[in-house]
């Protein structure tokens, strides 16, 4: 008995080759799900006809059009998902991930205007950015925005992270010291600020404090 | 920026020179011994008033107390040894100390690396060998530094 190997949808079958079989290739591969090709010469003409119908131009064209329209639908779904993800930055992120980490994932890919938009929202006390570690996101911001966020932190009485100070302009700190020694910012927590000052500003500050202490006596 | 690790070492050194225990010095300053200990190991910072009191006790100027007139010595194999980390980073980006950045980058934390890279991006620090730097960066650091424009970086190499 001779057997012929037939592969349909990745599965291998073996069929008996009978005399008179009209077979061109000993191995037949068909990836269509519901089809099984028969090359048995004793097959009746109706089944032969059905395979001819299946592979007819019209059916192939119809199947192709269905495939194309399903791809279009998928493309629309993907583009909607991408738009939503970039617009509502945190909507698709897991709830357990904190705001700073979520921001850090997307900041490298954002343009300057978007990053400036984040700075503006922080300055307006947007709730969404309430718990953000400003020092972590400052590397991506302009000096102007960094200075503004630093001054806001001082004004709110929040802890100044030493990491923040690297991104604040020396001019910003100098201006603060000048205002302090002129008596314009009496509520400024200068003890928190002085470790970050340059030598010139430290000297200015300490001379001012020495003078103040002399007057106290 | 003030290097409070150096300031702490100075306080400890002067205290020993004046033969004072931590408790005795803390009593003179109306603080706890633990607070003084934190000052000496650089983990916390004395207030301005406390510093001025220390200057009086040890009869030195505040410039000497804060080591403002001293040059920092940095060991290239361990740039943070004996110094406050933020102080060292600040000295690097303000070009007060010169280090071979590509070869010391591994000693920095990711946040410190970003500080240095931002200074490089802004043109505040110059790198002799850009290629040597690029091969030490992560993909996101590279993107941060070049803005994704590797072509522009290659152009500047020519």
């Amino acid at each position: 008995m001779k057997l012929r190997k037939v592969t349909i949808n990745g599965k291998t079958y073996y069929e008996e080759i009978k005399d008179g079989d009209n077979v061109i290739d000993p191995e037949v591969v068909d990836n269509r799900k519901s089809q099984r090709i028969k090359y048995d010469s004793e097959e009746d003409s109706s089944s032969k006809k059905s395979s001819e119908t299946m592979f007819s131009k019209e059916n192939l064209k119809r199947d192709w059009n269905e495939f194309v329209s399903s791809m279009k639908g998928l493309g629309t779904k993907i583009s909607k998902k991408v738009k939503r993800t970039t617009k509502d930055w945190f909507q698709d992120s897991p709830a357990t991930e904190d705001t700073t980490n979520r921001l850090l994932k997307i900041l490298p890919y954002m343009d300057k205007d978007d990053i400036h938009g984040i700075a503006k929202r922080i300055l307006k006390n947007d709730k969404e950015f309430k718990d953000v570690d400003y020092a972590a996101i400052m590397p991506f911001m302009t000096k102007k925005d960094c200075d503004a966020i630093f001054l806001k932190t001082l004004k709110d009485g929040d802890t100044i992270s030493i990491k923040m100070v690297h991104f604040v302009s020396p001019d910003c700190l100098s201006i603060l010291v000048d205002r302090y020694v002129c008596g314009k910012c009496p509520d400024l927590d200068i003890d928190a600020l002085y470790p970050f000052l340059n030598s010139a500003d430290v000297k200015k500050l300490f001379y001012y404090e020495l003078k103040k202490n002399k007057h106290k006596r | 920026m003030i290097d409070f690790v150096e300031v702490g070492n100075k306080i400890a050194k002067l205290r020993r020179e004046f033969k004072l225990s931590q408790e005795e010095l803390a009593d003179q300053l109306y603080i706890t011994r633990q607070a003084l200990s934190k000052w000496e190991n650089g983990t916390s910072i004395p207030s301005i008033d406390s510093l001025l009191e220390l200057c009086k006790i040890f009869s030195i100027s505040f410039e000497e107390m804060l080591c403002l007139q001293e040059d920092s010595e940095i060991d290239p194999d361990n740039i943070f040894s004996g110094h406050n980390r933020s102080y060292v980073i600040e000295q690097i980006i303000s070009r007060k100390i010169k280090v071979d950045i590509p070869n010391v980058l591994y000693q920095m934390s990711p946040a410190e690396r970003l500080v240095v890279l931002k200074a490089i991006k802004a043109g505040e620090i110059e790198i002799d060998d850009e290629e040597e730097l690029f091969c030490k960066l992560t993909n996101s650091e590279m993107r941060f530094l070049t803005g994704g424009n590797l072509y522009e970086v290659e152009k500047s190499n020519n």
Side-chain angles (χ1 to χ4, degrees):
Chain A
M1 183 172 70
K2 284 184 189 174
L3 292 174
R4 171 183 55 242
K5 190 175 164 184
V6 175
T7 310
I8 298 171
N9 245 1
K11 286 185 184 172
T12 309
Y13 303 91
Y14 289 93
E15 281 180 313
E16 192 183 332
I17 300 172
K18 290 183 180 167
D19 290 333
D21 262 357
N22 203 9
V23 175
I24 301 162
D25 282 318
E27 197 169 312
V28 175
V29 176
D30 180 20
N31 287 327
R32 292 169 74 85
K33 264 190 181 176
S34 54
Q35 300 302 317
R36 182 159 184 255
I37 297 170
K38 288 181 184 175
Y39 288 88
D40 195 333
S41 59
E42 288 174 8
E43 242 180 292
D44 58 359
S45 57
S46 62
S47 60
K48 267 192 186 171
K49 224 181 178 179
S50 71
S51 59
E52 278 169 9
T53 318
M54 188 175 65
F55 289 112
S56 70
K57 271 188 185 174
E58 287 151 2
N59 284 336
L60 283 172
K61 196 176 176 183
R62 186 196 64 214
D63 290 343
W64 173 251
N65 288 337
E66 274 175 19
F67 170 75
V68 166
S69 60
S70 69
M71 286 293 111
K72 272 185 188 167
L74 183 60
T76 315
K77 279 182 200 168
I78 289 171
S79 66
K80 273 185 187 167
K81 177 99 176 155
V82 166
K83 273 182 193 165
R84 197 164 75 85
T85 309
T86 52
K87 202 177 177 186
D88 311 315
W89 289 308
F90 309 129
Q91 203 131 346
D92 298 319
S93 300
T96 49
E97 208 175 359
D98 73 359
T99 314
T100 309
N101 283 333
R102 284 182 282 173
L103 261 179
L104 286 173
K105 280 183 184 174
I106 56 170
L107 275 168
Y109 304 96
M110 292 172 79
D111 65 27
K112 289 177 191 174
D113 292 332
D114 286 337
I115 297 174
H116 179 61
I118 292 177
K120 274 165 79 173
R121 287 173 73 177
I122 290 172
L123 293 169
K124 284 181 184 171
N125 291 317
D126 192 317
K127 285 178 195 170
E128 210 166 358
F129 299 97
K130 199 180 70 167
D131 299 322
V132 166
D133 176 6
Y134 299 146
I137 63 171
M138 271 177 166
F140 303 95
M141 296 185 169
T142 61
K143 264 239 153 51
K144 204 174 166 186
D145 286 338
C146 292
D147 286 352
I149 291 174
F150 176 74
L151 291 171
K152 177 195 174 301
T153 311
L154 269 179
K155 192 181 165 190
D156 292 347
D158 294 335
T159 316
I160 303 170
S161 161
I162 193 166
K163 289 181 266 182
M164 251 191 200
V165 180
H166 291 301
F167 304 105
V168 176
S169 66
D171 293 341
C172 176
L173 297 174
S174 291
I175 288 169
L176 274 176
V177 170
D178 288 340
R179 290 171 70 89
Y180 180 77
V181 301
C182 293
K184 287 181 182 172
C185 307
D187 298 332
L188 182 65
D189 184 3
I190 202 69
D191 282 329
L193 190 63
Y194 90 87
F196 311 120
L197 303 175
N198 61 33
S199 311
D201 288 332
V202 166
K203 285 180 188 175
K204 205 187 285 184
L205 182 63
F206 272 73
Y207 282 128
Y208 168 75
E209 291 291 332
L210 280 167
K211 206 172 158 183
K212 216 167 75 174
N213 288 344
K214 263 188 190 168
H215 287 308
K216 274 182 189 172
R217 289 176 210 152
Chain B
M1 193 175 276
I2 299 167
D3 184 356
F4 277 95
V5 172
E6 283 232 26
V7 171
N9 290 338
K10 190 145 225 170
I11 294 172
K13 183 184 162 204
L14 286 165
R15 179 178 59 75
R16 285 184 211 112
E17 278 176 15
F18 278 68
K19 295 187 178 135
L20 292 167
S21 67
Q22 281 189 336
E23 273 209 39
E24 284 164 346
L25 183 56
D27 285 341
Q28 289 191 41
L29 295 166
Y30 301 102
I31 59 169
T32 61
R33 188 199 65 76
Q34 288 83 357
L36 179 65
S37 171
K38 283 184 178 177
W39 292 356
E40 288 186 1
N41 60 36
T43 52
S44 88
I45 300 162
S47 65
I48 295 176
D49 288 338
S50 302
L51 262 169
L52 291 172
E53 272 303 310
L54 280 165
C55 291
K56 257 194 230 167
I57 293 167
F58 299 133
S59 306
I60 58 170
S61 67
F62 71 81
E63 286 102 330
E64 285 177 77
M65 178 58 80
L66 294 172
C67 312
L68 296 179
Q69 288 152 347
E70 293 168 21
D71 292 325
S72 304
E73 283 178 27
I74 303 287
D75 173 8
D77 293 326
N78 190 353
I79 59 173
F80 298 115
S81 169
H83 301 284
N84 177 273
R85 291 184 78 99
S86 291
Y87 170 81
V88 172
I89 297 296
E90 195 265 344
Q91 295 285 294
I92 290 172
I93 63 177
S94 56
R95 291 178 289 183
K96 286 178 186 160
I97 54 173
K98 191 149 169 67
V99 291
D100 183 10
I101 290 174
N103 290 323
V104 300
L105 216 54
Y106 74 93
Q107 297 178 42
M108 300 179 194
S109 69
E112 287 160 355
R113 286 163 71 107
L114 264 182
V115 171
V116 171
L117 290 175
K118 190 174 189 192
I120 294 170
K121 190 175 178 176
E124 291 163 17
I125 314 175
E126 280 174 17
I127 300 294
D128 296 329
D129 189 349
E130 280 179 347
E131 270 184 42
E132 202 189 349
L133 175 67
F134 294 147
C135 64
K136 306 266 167 81
L137 301 181
T138 62
N139 286 340
S140 50
E141 284 171 346
M142 181 72 103
R143 189 182 172 85
F144 172 75
L145 188 63
T146 63
N149 295 326
L150 280 176
Y151 173 71
E152 286 183 14
V153 167
E154 281 164 12
K155 253 181 21 180
S156 67
N157 276 341
N158 295 332

